[in-house]
Amino acid sequence: MEQFRQIGGVLGSLRALMVLQGSIDVNPRQCRLLVDAFDLAFHAVADALRTHLTFDPKHTLRWRPLEHPLAELHLICLEGEHYVRRCLEPKPIWWGKVLALSREADCVEFHLHNLLWCLPVVLEAIEAIAEGAVGFDDEATRKNRVLVSKKYEKEWMEPRLFQHKLGELYLASKDFCARLDSASREDHWILSQILNNRKISPLDPLTDHEKSLRELLISPKSQLFPSSVLVQSPGYQVCKSSSNFMEVQWMGESFLVEHLIGRTIDEASIANEISALASMVHPNVSHYMYVLADQEKKEWFLVMEWMRMDLSSYTKNLCSTKNKASFPLLVAVDTMLQIARGMEYLHSKKLFHGDLNPSNILVKARSCSPDGYLHVKVAGFAKWSTRNSKSSTSVEGETDPCIWYAPEVLQEQEQAQDGSTNNSNSCINGRLRCSEKADIYSFGMICFQLLTGKVPFEDEHRQKDNTSKNIRVGVRPLFPSQSPKYLTNLTKKCWHSDPMQRPSFSTICRLLRYIKRFLVMNSEHIQPLVDYFELESSMCKSFTSCVQKDVLGASEVPFQMFAYRVLEREKTSANVKGTSWDIEGDETSVWGEEKQNTGILTDDPLLSPQVNQDASMKSSAKKIHGKLKQQLFRLVSPGQKKNTTTVIKPPQLSGRSFSVNNGNRFQQAMMIPARRRSGHVSDSELT
């Protein structure tokens, strides 16, 4: 309960801050929406606790599975409080705060997205404790199981029915979703009114520079302004400079500025792209907040939110200073999700990156996060951006850039170099041709580095001339044996040799949200009971209109989490029923009894992954398994002695006897050596 009390403390702090909400002149509607969302979430969790659980100091271990989900919710609330404080606190230079906060989407697409993902996880954790509370109050436990089963009935797996029945609980009601869609527009209108009032105020007239800033803030994002608004501002200072990027202080705030020289690029191409790029606002995409130019000197200044460093440098520092081989698993998955969300947004705008690699991903530490969580932004996606020039730089400064490129892109590059193709589009402004599936391949390679802490192929020490060839013939990095299969499988699908077999970023985002939910609820990191790609396949069949959207809005996250949970419960139940072999004359089964006794389904040794991976044994195992399922096994009757066995002689295995010992494991009944569970089965053992 300590984490829940801490969440209440954060909520009390937010309510105290909102006493002064009339003083919030930057993003007031979004701040109010965020506080209301936290308040509704707190009451939803409190109601679930009262409904399903009874606090007993003698049995505090029952609450332990709830600690990590509540800690995650507490972190999200702390970050939301930090956002409200930034919007409320007075700054020495008011204009700087407006410049930094008025053109971001963090409230809805970052803080509220995280909240709408986390709330279903906390509610599910409470329900899981209630369903598994065997031995404490049998009547209450049965009641809780009925309530939970009714909640997750498949009939509610329809967006409108879900919104009608569970919308209030999951913060997905029509009224709340409408507020999510309109809050940022309302704040922009309020800010324009404040700026117009300042313009006509005789008591506080604007200076010439403030008039320029006012026009910059209320004008369309695609409009160009003279660079003097930036470089001639009072207090403008360049703090750091590297390549064409500068960390600057502007009106009391830190920004990252990309400085371009017109004579080295096509000015017409920049002008055509500025309108599209400036309108792209997403918390996981490097946003060109303001675009300024000096027409005489042919200089361009692209003002972005300040970020600490790129992912390549951050990984190098993390591994060297803390002597770690990789990120913590939950941090790695969260970073993967943010990259995927940024790419999902870019692809929804029909903009493909073409040079996705760790050097083009900017990161900074998230506020109030003690666990190493990062805020991630995808950068370097503009054709004329210079950030992709760092793609040839690795952790050690010698990585071949081709390791991030898809095999089909490398094939086109080789054909273009050999002159064997007349495809003039294979390179665009010195960059390889962009495509959706090529970006997904690059994302898979980044996932490998996040999960292992290693640059792809660094252990092989391949020569540069051979790396491209090896990638094109299907060579991929090797994961350590202890890597989680549900993550390695996702990564391997992303870097599949056939582009059509690679999932979309929308699919990847849905999978990573649910994988993150699994990690939060299972601190031991055990394997999931179902294949998440099977859930995604069922989701696509059931809700074509939902999954075919280019990008999933924050308001749709609760239904997606609920639908995945319904499908998971259904498939888990189906797996239990499908693997129970009925015994003639008895309502129980060998596997059903094992599940009741241990809570764990016994694996079928004839269909284990190790056996299935062995091509030489696949057909033999399948034949034997099919014939064994046709046999009728009999257990001893209750009146017989405990050690009495029934001998069964399957016709296809003449000369061998199989005995079923009542109460023993099915593995013992099949008389298959235990060593086969961890290795391959030989032909001699199965014949």
Side-chain angles (χ1 to χ4, degrees):
M1 291 295 289
E2 178 63 21
Q3 291 87 352
F4 189 62
R5 184 194 65 78
Q6 292 174 351
I7 295 172
V10 176
L11 185 60
S13 175
L14 283 170
R15 288 172 175 169
L17 288 173
M18 294 309 292
V19 171
L20 303 175
Q21 61 180 306
S23 303
I24 303 178
D25 47 14
V26 181
N27 301 336
R29 291 290 189 272
Q30 295 177 72
C31 290
R32 181 73 263 175
L33 172 63
L34 193 59
V35 175
D36 290 345
F38 288 145
D39 188 54
L40 292 172
F42 181 84
H43 284 92
V45 174
D47 290 342
L49 289 171
R50 283 192 293 265
T51 301
H52 294 290
L53 300 180
T54 301
F55 181 74
D56 186 350
K58 298 180 181 180
H59 303 292
T60 55
L61 292 179
R62 291 179 55 198
W63 296 71
R64 184 164 295 176
L66 191 56
E67 291 180 358
H68 201 176
L70 285 178
E72 192 75 17
L73 181 59
H74 179 233
L75 172 62
I76 294 171
C77 292
L78 284 175
E79 291 180 331
E81 181 193 19
H82 180 75
Y83 174 85
V84 174
R85 287 183 182 275
R86 286 182 61 206
C87 295
L88 179 63
E89 65 182 356
K91 288 291 187 74
I93 305 178
W94 178 83
W95 292 98
K97 183 174 73 171
V98 177
L99 289 168
L101 297 176
S102 62
R103 291 195 173 181
E104 63 176 26
D106 285 9
C107 175
V108 173
E109 294 300 332
F110 188 78
H111 300 294
L112 283 175
H113 171 274
N114 291 341
L115 175 65
L116 294 176
W117 163 84
C118 189
L119 178 59
V121 177
V122 176
L123 296 177
E124 183 186 341
I126 296 173
E127 294 161 357
I129 295 174
E131 284 186 290
V134 179
F136 292 94
D137 187 347
D138 292 341
E139 184 64 29
T141 301
R142 285 193 291 270
K143 176 183 176 182
N144 283 323
R145 287 174 180 167
V146 171
L147 290 175
V148 173
S149 63
K150 291 294 183 181
K151 173 184 173 181
Y152 290 106
E153 288 181 345
K154 199 170 183 179
E155 64 183 30
W156 304 115
M157 278 185 57
E158 200 281 326
R160 287 177 296 179
L161 290 176
F162 169 80
Q163 191 175 57
H164 173 74
K165 179 178 174 61
L166 299 170
E168 296 292 338
L169 177 65
Y170 285 97
L171 307 188
S173 63
K174 289 184 178 180
D175 292 340
F176 191 82
C177 291
R179 292 181 66 185
L180 290 177
D181 295 334
S182 63
S184 60
R185 294 195 302 269
E186 293 175 1
D187 282 336
H188 182 73
W189 182 86
I190 292 173
L191 178 61
S192 65
Q193 296 302 306
I194 293 175
L195 293 173
N196 285 330
N197 292 335
R198 284 205 168 199
K199 176 183 177 181
I200 61 177
S201 174
L203 301 177
D204 186 18
L206 299 177
T207 64
D208 292 341
H209 182 255
E210 289 176 336
K211 291 178 181 178
S212 299
L213 292 174
R214 173 191 169 277
E215 294 300 321
L216 179 66
L217 289 167
I218 65 176
S219 298
K221 298 176 182 178
S222 58
Q223 183 174 337
L224 282 176
F225 280 85
S227 60
S228 59
V229 178
L230 172 67
V231 297
Q232 296 182 12
S233 295
Y236 171 76
Q237 182 181 4
V238 178
C239 302
K240 295 181 182 178
S241 179
S242 61
S243 184
N244 287 354
F245 287 84
M246 304 180 296
E247 179 186 334
V248 304
Q249 283 286 320
W250 182 30
M251 306 299 294
E253 297 286 336
S254 295
F255 296 91
L256 186 66
V257 176
E258 185 172 0
H259 184 205
L260 302 178
I261 307 300
R263 64 176 180 271
T264 63
I265 55 178
D266 183 4
E267 289 189 47
S269 66
I270 290 184
N272 293 332
E273 286 192 66
I274 282 177
S275 178
L277 295 177
S279 63
M280 293 185 181
V281 183
H282 192 275
N284 300 123
V285 172
S286 184
H287 175 216
Y288 293 101
M289 304 169 68
Y290 308 100
V291 183
L292 307 104
D294 188 326
Q295 300 292 349
E296 295 182 358
K297 297 181 179 179
K298 296 184 179 180
E299 290 181 314
W300 302 77
F301 297 87
L302 311 176
V303 182
M304 300 175 286
E305 179 186 356
W306 176 83
M307 302 293 286
R308 182 184 176 191
M309 63 178 66
D310 60 69
L311 183 60
S312 177
S313 302
Y314 184 86
T315 304
K316 176 183 177 181
N317 294 343
L318 179 68
C319 295
S320 61
T321 58
K322 295 187 177 182
N323 195 24
K324 291 184 178 181
S326 62
F327 291 82
L329 190 57
L330 189 57
V331 174
V333 171
D334 181 76
T335 303
M336 292 161 58
L337 175 58
Q338 291 189 63
I339 298 172
R341 290 196 67 216
M343 292 303 302
E344 178 192 30
Y345 181 80
L346 290 179
H347 284 191
S348 72
K349 302 296 183 180
K350 307 303 179 185
L351 180 61
F352 307 125
H353 197 294
D355 196 23
L356 185 62
N357 64 77
S359 295
N360 278 330
I361 296 173
L362 305 180
V363 299
K364 68 177 180 180
R366 276 164 57 175
S367 60
C368 313
S369 174
D371 300 324
Y373 278 120
L374 300 172
H375 192 165
V376 181
K377 289 182 180 288
V378 178
F381 48 85
K383 294 178 182 178
W384 35 264
S385 175
T386 57
R387 176 159 288 277
N388 64 79
S389 63
K390 294 181 63 178
S391 62
S392 60
T393 304
S394 72
V395 174
E396 298 298 333
E398 298 177 353
T399 294
D400 186 353
C402 75
I403 66 174
W404 310 108
Y405 293 138
E408 65 270 17
V409 175
L410 296 176
Q411 183 68 33
E412 292 176 0
Q413 183 188 42
E414 184 182 21
Q415 292 176 353
Q417 292 174 350
D418 295 342
S420 57
T421 179
N422 294 324
N423 186 2
S424 60
N425 293 325
S426 60
C427 288
I428 302 177
N429 292 340
R431 301 180 64 167
L432 297 174
R433 189 169 66 181
C434 308
S435 71
E436 176 186 8
K437 298 301 184 180
D439 285 344
I440 294 169
Y441 176 94
S442 303
F443 172 78
M445 287 295 167
I446 295 173
C447 291
F448 174 84
Q449 182 169 355
L450 288 170
L451 294 172
T452 65
K454 299 179 181 180
V455 176
F457 303 110
E458 72 172 358
D459 290 340
E460 284 78 2
H461 301 289
R462 293 186 174 92
Q463 296 179 356
K464 181 176 180 179
D465 295 339
N466 294 330
T467 304
S468 176
K469 179 181 177 181
N470 290 330
I471 292 174
R472 283 183 278 122
V473 299
V475 176
R476 299 293 183 266
L478 297 177
F479 278 98
S481 58
Q482 69 273 16
S483 300
K485 298 301 180 185
Y486 52 91
L487 287 172
T488 59
N489 290 341
L490 173 60
T491 304
K492 291 175 182 178
K493 285 185 178 291
C494 291
W495 68 35
H496 199 285
S497 297
D498 182 3
M500 300 307 297
Q501 298 297 321
R502 301 169 196 162
S504 67
F505 274 113
S506 296
T507 295
I508 294 171
C509 287
R510 286 192 292 270
L511 290 171
L512 287 175
R513 286 190 191 97
Y514 210 67
I515 289 175
K516 185 180 177 184
R517 160 253 173 211
F518 171 78
L519 292 175
V520 169
M521 294 189 64
N522 298 274
S523 57
E524 297 84 4
H525 303 327
I526 60 176
Q527 290 292 329
L529 295 178
V530 298
D531 184 353
Y532 290 151
F533 274 99
E534 292 183 7
L535 297 184
E536 174 63 18
S537 177
S538 300
M539 188 83 168
C540 293
K541 292 177 182 178
S542 302
F543 306 103
T544 306
S545 59
C546 295
V547 300
Q548 287 184 347
K549 290 185 177 181
D550 292 331
V551 62
L552 183 72
S555 60
E556 298 171 280
V557 170
F559 172 73
Q560 172 224 296
M561 298 291 293
F562 175 82
Y564 260 56
R565 180 56 182 156
V566 173
L567 293 172
E568 183 182 41
R569 289 173 66 95
E570 180 184 33
K571 287 189 176 294
T572 303
S573 176
N575 288 341
V576 173
K577 294 178 182 179
T579 53
S580 296
W581 291 7
D582 294 334
I583 308 301
E584 182 177 348
D586 199 333
E587 297 297 328
T588 62
S589 65
V590 176
W591 283 17
E593 183 180 7
E594 181 65 17
K595 180 179 182 295
Q596 182 179 1
N597 292 339
T598 65
I600 303 175
L601 284 176
T602 306
D603 292 336
D604 186 348
L606 295 177
L607 290 180
S608 64
Q610 292 82 1
V611 174
N612 284 336
Q613 291 174 2
D614 191 345
S616 64
M617 295 308 305
K618 185 181 295 185
S619 59
S620 300
K622 184 176 180 181
K623 181 185 297 184
I624 295 173
H625 183 270
K627 291 183 179 180
L628 287 177
K629 287 185 66 176
Q630 297 175 5
Q631 308 303 316
L632 295 177
F633 290 86
R634 291 181 179 274
L635 294 174
V636 295
S637 61
Q640 291 177 301
K641 294 181 180 181
K642 184 175 182 180
N643 293 329
T644 304
T645 61
T646 301
V647 178
I648 302 172
K649 296 183 178 180
Q652 75 277 18
L653 298 176
S654 58
R656 294 188 64 180
S657 297
F658 287 75
S659 62
V660 180
N661 195 345
N662 189 22
N664 288 347
R665 303 175 69 89
F666 185 71
Q667 174 117 2
Q668 297 171 340
M670 294 291 294
M671 294 184 65
I672 294 177
R675 64 178 180 275
R676 295 185 197 165
R677 285 176 289 177
S678 59
H680 296 296
V681 184
S682 64
D683 289 330
S684 61
E685 290 177 324
L686 289 173
T687 57

